[in-house]
Amino acid sequence: MTPPSQTEPALAGTSATARLADVDALRGFALFGILMVNIPFFASGYTLLDVADPARTAWHDHLASDVVQFVFESKFYLLFAFLFGYSFTLQINSAAARGLTFRPRFLRRLGALFLIGVANAVLLFYGDILVTYAVLGLLLFLVRGISPRRALWVAGIITGTIALLFLTVAVLVTVIDGASATATASEQARMLADGRAGTEAMRGGLGSVIGERLSSLGTSFPLILFFQGPLAFSAFLVGLAAGKRRVLAQPAGHERKLRLIQLIGFPVGLAGSLFYTFGGDDNLFAGAAHLVSAPFLTAAYVATLLRVFRTARGARLAEVLAGPGRMALTNYLSQSLLCVLIFTGIGLGLIGRVPYAAVLAIAVAIYSVQLVWSAWWMRRFRMGPVEWLLRAATHLERPAMRLRESPRRSPASV
């Protein structure tokens, strides 16, 4: 078992002095990618069903969809999960340095995260990942003593197993495809009807929107639990291994490894994304290839940013991205809230009425606002409002919020 001084978690809301600027900057970067992937689910009732919206058939709609698939899809939730695992090691170190027992605080934190995730799934976004993080966080705690090498092996085995299952399904579908063509066409017609119904429901009032959210959980939750969940846990383990080896704390000491990650990650990751994006709709072989290649591209993104952050201009970029990253949970939830107000009948009711390219432009606008707002907020406060709530639940005390307010020095303060 790894000594406690080498393993315990930091989620959003830890002390600013214990933070690493690069971790916050990477988290801020991940927020942008998460928004680019999530916003189409708010903008159309067809997206969750993985069928084309009949109102989006123009060339620029297809181009925008291809950009999201090629650059963003399946990469940024892995980055977020990697940072969750990495941050896990930071708070273990913090707790050990202060001689504090970590377990009860961590369990309370996960419990609060679970409740926040449930509220998000019901009220804002059926694709919420926080509930999954809370559940998988328990498993991460149980295996916290795993060695970095073994953690990487287990992560690879999990990812490979999921990809193998995809390949098996792809082969079976290919074998029986000729006998099921009529059924497939019928299923497509049913999904189109469901997409229209979902879009109309989201144009209704609060009750209609919540009802559609609850209905959509039946489709989204199994995907998150059995597909995203295992892959997210793999990224947790990679982040845990990186944290134990202090990769983000001392990136200059890992320059050769970062270059190697770029040299391998970009060719493999981009090839997989190319196959996934242009390999044809419902191509399960392309999906399996993407499962294996997406972590390579995510790693290449991280390695590139860590090297860029070491430059003069890159340091400024890191400073800008660190603002939203330091209050990532607040920004993640506020992204969903803004999308609800823009696209559902609770607000402007623009669902199904905005071209795909314009939807992505809205995402860029939302993130730009978050950059400015986060910088303003963090000049005045120690943490975001949701981070404050999570920290209060974790330590069962009222944390200091304003920068001029002296933090409490009780034994529970971690």
Side-chain angles (χ1 to χ4, degrees), residues 69-213:
Q69 283 188 292
F70 187 80
V71 179
F72 298 100
E73 197 168 310
S74 298
K75 288 86 173 177
F76 284 82
Y77 86 88
L78 290 178
L79 175 53
F80 236 121
F82 166 81
L83 293 171
F84 186 101
Y86 188 93
S87 296
F88 182 84
T89 66
L90 299 182
Q91 196 164 332
I92 286 183
N93 292 338
S94 175
R98 299 181 184 214
L100 301 175
T101 302
F102 178 73
R103 180 181 298 176
R105 294 173 179 81
F106 183 52
L107 294 180
R108 288 195 295 268
R109 179 182 289 269
L110 290 183
L113 192 66
F114 180 88
L115 293 177
I116 292 171
V118 170
N120 182 42
V122 173
L123 300 176
L124 299 177
F125 184 42
Y126 49 70
D128 170 79
I129 195 69
L130 299 179
V131 170
T132 304
Y133 273 29
V135 174
L136 294 179
L138 291 172
L139 184 57
L140 184 66
F141 180 79
L142 292 176
V143 301
R144 65 192 182 279
I146 192 172
S147 68
R149 182 183 294 274
R150 183 170 295 180
L152 294 176
W153 271 106
V154 174
I157 290 171
I158 293 173
T159 302
T161 300
I162 298 295
L164 183 60
L165 289 174
F166 249 73
L167 280 174
T168 302
V169 172
V171 171
L172 292 175
V173 168
T174 300
V175 171
I176 65 175
D177 185 54
S180 61
T182 303
T184 301
S186 175
E187 181 69 13
Q188 279 288 110
R190 186 188 64 80
M191 289 192 294
L192 285 170
D194 289 345
R196 285 193 298 272
T199 299
E200 289 302 319
M202 294 303 291
R203 287 177 181 156
L206 179 62
S208 178
V209 171
I210 292 179
E212 177 60 21
R213 288 282 181 262

Side-chain angles (χ1 to χ4, degrees), residues 297-308:
L297 191 52
T298 302
Y301 285 164
V302 172
T304 300
L305 284 172
L306 289 176
R307 296 188 65 198
V308 168

Side-chain angles (χ1 to χ4, degrees), residues 3-359:
S5 62
Q6 297 179 12
T7 7
E8 243 156 23
L11 304 174
T14 50
S15 171
T17 58
R19 284 185 173 275
L20 294 170
D22 286 352
V23 175
D24 288 325
L26 288 172
R27 194 177 285 115
F29 176 67
L31 278 169
F32 176 65
I34 291 291
L35 178 58
M36 294 292 281
V37 173
N38 285 350
I39 197 169
F41 292 89
F42 291 94
S44 173
Y46 295 87
T47 307
L48 178 62
L49 303 173
D50 198 25
V51 292
D53 189 332
R56 293 176 178 160
T57 57
W59 66 269
H60 49 77
D61 292 318
H62 294 296
L63 177 61
S65 177
D66 289 344
V67 168
V68 170
Q69 283 188 292
F70 187 80
V71 179
F72 298 100
E73 197 168 310
S74 298
K75 288 86 173 177
F76 284 82
Y77 86 88
L78 290 178
L79 175 53
F80 236 121
F82 166 81
L83 293 171
F84 186 101
Y86 188 93
S87 296
F88 182 84
T89 66
L90 299 182
Q91 196 164 332
I92 286 183
N93 292 338
S94 175
R98 299 181 184 214
L100 301 175
T101 302
F102 178 73
R103 180 181 298 176
R105 294 173 179 81
F106 183 52
L107 294 180
R108 288 195 295 268
R109 179 182 289 269
L110 290 183
L113 192 66
F114 180 88
L115 293 177
I116 292 171
V118 170
N120 182 42
V122 173
L123 300 176
L124 299 177
F125 184 42
Y126 49 70
D128 170 79
I129 195 69
L130 299 179
V131 170
T132 304
Y133 273 29
V135 174
L136 294 179
L138 291 172
L139 184 57
L140 184 66
F141 180 79
L142 292 176
V143 301
R144 65 192 182 279
I146 192 172
S147 68
R149 182 183 294 274
R150 183 170 295 180
L152 294 176
W153 271 106
V154 174
I157 290 171
I158 293 173
T159 302
T161 300
I162 298 295
L164 183 60
L165 289 174
F166 249 73
L167 280 174
T168 302
V169 172
V171 171
L172 292 175
V173 168
T174 300
V175 171
I176 65 175
D177 185 54
S180 61
T182 303
T184 301
S186 175
E187 181 69 13
Q188 279 288 110
R190 186 188 64 80
M191 289 192 294
L192 285 170
D194 289 345
R196 285 193 298 272
T199 299
E200 289 302 319
M202 294 303 291
R203 287 177 181 156
L206 179 62
S208 178
V209 171
I210 292 179
E212 177 60 21
R213 288 282 181 262
L214 292 173
S215 175
S216 298
L217 285 174
T219 302
S220 64
F221 185 71
L223 293 175
I224 294 172
L225 183 63
F226 298 109
F227 171 60
Q228 281 192 334
L231 296 176
F233 186 70
S234 295
F236 281 8
L237 291 174
V238 175
L240 183 71
K244 289 186 175 184
R245 292 183 173 173
R246 299 178 56 80
V247 173
L248 302 187
Q250 302 168 343
H254 299 275
E255 181 69 15
R256 291 182 61 185
K257 291 182 180 178
L258 294 177
R259 288 186 179 184
L260 181 62
I261 289 173
Q262 287 177 298
L263 289 173
I264 298 175
F266 276 122
V268 174
L270 291 175
S273 284
L274 193 67
F275 185 26
Y276 176 66
T277 303
F278 302 106
D281 295 337
D282 301 322
N283 188 331
L284 294 176
F285 291 102
H290 188 57
L291 283 177
V292 174
S293 63
F296 284 88
L297 191 52
T298 302
Y301 285 164
V302 172
T304 300
L305 284 172
L306 289 176
R307 296 188 65 198
V308 168
F309 292 161
R310 304 274 69 76
T311 67
R313 291 185 179 180
R316 174 56 184 160
L317 174 63
E319 182 181 350
V320 171
L321 293 175
R326 290 175 63 191
M327 47 191 295
L329 184 55
T330 294
N331 280 316
Y332 170 71
L333 295 173
S334 66
Q335 286 176 355
S336 296
L337 176 60
L338 289 171
C339 287
V340 165
L341 294 176
I342 291 170
F343 293 106
T344 74
I346 297 174
L348 300 178
L350 296 182
I351 184 170
R353 294 168 175 157
V354 182
Y356 205 151
V359 169

